[in-house]
Amino acid sequence: MSNKLEAIILAAGSGSRMYSDLPKVLQPLAGRPLLHHVLTTARQLGPAKIHVVIGHQGDKVRESCGDFKEINWVLQEQQLGTGHAVKQALPHCASDCQLLILYGDVPLTSVATLSKLIHLDAAVGLLTVDLDNPDGYGRITRGENGHVQGIVEHKDATRQQREIREISTGIMTLQCRLIQPLLNSLSDDNAQGEYYLTDIVSMAVAEGVIPETVQPTNPIEVQGVNDQSQLNKLERSYQRDLAEGLMKQGTRIMDPARFDLRGTLTAGKDVVIDINALFEGEVVLGDGVMIGANCCIQDTVIGDRTVVHPNSIIDGARIGAQCMIGPFARIRPGTVLDSDVRVGNFVETKNATIGKGSKASHLTYLGDTEVGQEANIGAGTITCNYDGVNKHKTYIGNGAFIGSNVALVAPVEINDNAHIGAGSTITKSVPENALAIGRGRQRNIPDWKKKD
Ligand code: UD1
Ligand code: MG
């Protein structure tokens, strides 16, 4: 029976090649910091503890991980190498545990691959991969019997060793009891003047240990992030996988290379997503929903058969069935649309509830507003909801008809079946079935000529 698992995630490095003020492990992949991906994976393995070694901008890294309350933070004040980093965490680990070493900048290792590594239950288990271009990586050296003898860092390797294509991903399992004394005798007498964790391997071999290895199913799993270009490769590969996953479940994605998901997307049957769609947070699309080109949709639920036309931005909304949105609609947080609602081009809504069958087809702002059923809101209608200090509510009843270019100065109530004449500025509530006109009368002055 294997010992208890504890994960150590190394995240103290500066990531100087990112040329960014943001620590490397906080750079986003699919909208989440790299480190969060690693933590989420680590969690799924059910370790007794997760230790994260921080150093460079450690406070920032820590602050960003509020959702991972179980983390034991370990400070490595000076980044003297991966061996030194693990050594800082060791006093916090149970001496009979199995350690899993992960890197905060290697975000896509799968739970399945790590499970394989853990279940080797080896004193030293290494995740290795064969690369066509192994430059920069530590090489796995093997004896004639095929057993691993050690890891040689690229900068310390001989020309012959540099021919080796099997590299160390850095991810490994180690028996805590075995490595405790070995870490103490690590030396920094090498090309980089660092305490290499990888030196542990040959030291363990010298004590009679035979390291075991597994390889990932997909090399992307062990890809680290050192610069923006590598981060982009991971992003595109990850997005491609997310799109493939949705397509396998029946979603039609017009171009998976122009699809981005930064969160979770749940799609019903026969959903079509046109090009350049961006989904963030938690988005749920009902059956037959169509998302037009260039839409950004965040934290929103959209009902069956609703069509979102191109260039619409939707955030924090609940949208019913068979609605028509956009093109160029901006639906802001707190918007709740019943079924068969039309919110057309250049219409902005915020904190607005709109009843079944109502329409605001063009050029409208509805803020802090409640609209009943089958109301018609003409082009250019604006709810004046803000008096400079407070926000006020507008109420528009069932079947109300608001003419074009109306200013509704809140708080105000337009009751059921009321009509508002075009161009009105409405400052007082309008009773049911009434017609309200609030505009200067037109005067025609005959034979008017411009004076010279
Ligand atoms: C390391 C491995 C190398 C492997 C490669 C895979 C060593 C000595 N080498 O090299 O065999 O092929 O990863 O990508 O381990 N870190 C700390 N504290 C430190 C130093 C590093 O927390 O003092 C963290 C870094 O933030 C990073 C990780 O450890 O997340 C790896 O460090 P890095 O300097 O990138 O090691 P490599 O030279 O890439
Ligand atoms: Mg590295």
Side-chain angles (χ1 to χ4, degrees), residues 306-309 319 321-326 337 340-344:
T306 283
V307 178
V308 180
H309 290 289
I319 296 178
Q322 282 137 219
C323 292
M324 299 255 276
I325 311 291
L337 308 184
D340 302 295
V341 169
R342 165 118 185 83
V343 174

Side-chain angles (χ1 to χ4, degrees), residues 28 45 58 63 79 173 232 287 349 385 406 447:
L45 298 163
E63 276 162 29
Q79 284 77 63
T173 55
N232 172 264
D287 292 344
T349 64
N385 58 330
V406 166
D447 302 324

Side-chain angles (χ1 to χ4, degrees), residues 83-149:
H84 180 258
V86 170
K87 196 174 161 188
Q88 310 310 303
L90 227 54
H92 304 269
C93 303
S95 57
D96 62 347
C97 78
Q98 184 192 27
L99 292 171
L100 170 66
I101 311 297
L102 297 169
Y103 287 6
D105 57 0
V106 180
L108 295 184
T109 323
S110 72
V111 172
T113 296
L114 292 175
S115 294
K116 266 198 292 182
L117 180 66
I118 291 163
H119 286 112
L120 288 176
D121 211 7
V124 173
L126 303 173
L127 184 61
T128 75
V129 70
D130 292 325
L131 293 183
D132 290 338
N133 177 8
D135 276 5
Y137 290 99
R139 307 299 204 281
I140 305 289
T141 60
R142 289 182 184 265
E144 278 172 10
N145 55 6
H147 289 168
V148 172
Q149 288 184 316

Side-chain angles (χ1 to χ4, degrees), residues 112 165 187 205 290 296 303 444:
R165 289 179 46 229
S187 141
V205 169
M290 295 180 71
C296 301
N444 289 344

Side-chain angles (χ1 to χ4, degrees), residues 55-208:
H56 180 79
Q57 297 200 66
D59 287 344
K60 244 192 196 173
V61 175
R62 222 179 141 141
E63 276 162 29
S64 85
C65 293
D67 290 344
F68 298 90
K69 300 214 173 4
E70 72 270 41
I71 295 174
N72 173 47
W73 296 97
V74 177
L75 181 64
Q76 184 195 23
E77 277 179 33
Q78 276 182 295
Q79 284 77 63
L80 302 179
T82 47
H84 180 258
V86 170
K87 196 174 161 188
Q88 310 310 303
L90 227 54
H92 304 269
C93 303
S95 57
D96 62 347
C97 78
Q98 184 192 27
L99 292 171
L100 170 66
I101 311 297
L102 297 169
Y103 287 6
D105 57 0
V106 180
L108 295 184
T109 323
S110 72
V111 172
T113 296
L114 292 175
S115 294
K116 266 198 292 182
L117 180 66
I118 291 163
H119 286 112
L120 288 176
D121 211 7
V124 173
L126 303 173
L127 184 61
T128 75
V129 70
D130 292 325
L131 293 183
D132 290 338
N133 177 8
D135 276 5
Y137 290 99
R139 307 299 204 281
I140 305 289
T141 60
R142 289 182 184 265
E144 278 172 10
N145 55 6
H147 289 168
V148 172
Q149 288 184 316
I151 299 175
V152 185
E153 289 306 305
H154 179 89
K155 286 189 180 149
D156 300 285
T158 62
R159 250 169 79 202
Q160 211 179 359
Q161 286 169 327
R162 287 186 183 182
E163 299 291 311
I164 299 171
R165 289 179 46 229
E166 187 185 11
I167 62 104
S168 158
T169 64
I171 294 169
M172 57 179 90
T173 55
L174 299 165
Q175 214 174 55
C176 189
R177 181 169 290 132
L178 168 79
I179 68 154
Q180 236 156 1
L182 303 184
L183 278 177
N184 286 327
S185 45
L186 275 183
S187 141
D188 64 355
D189 182 15
N190 52 50
Q192 301 184 80
E194 285 183 9
Y195 296 96
Y196 294 159
L197 179 63
T198 42
D199 281 352
I200 287 287
V201 178
S202 58
M203 293 161 93
V205 169
E207 299 207 348

Side-chain angles (χ1 to χ4, degrees), residues 20 263 313 393:
S20 167
I313 315 284
K393 267 201 92 166

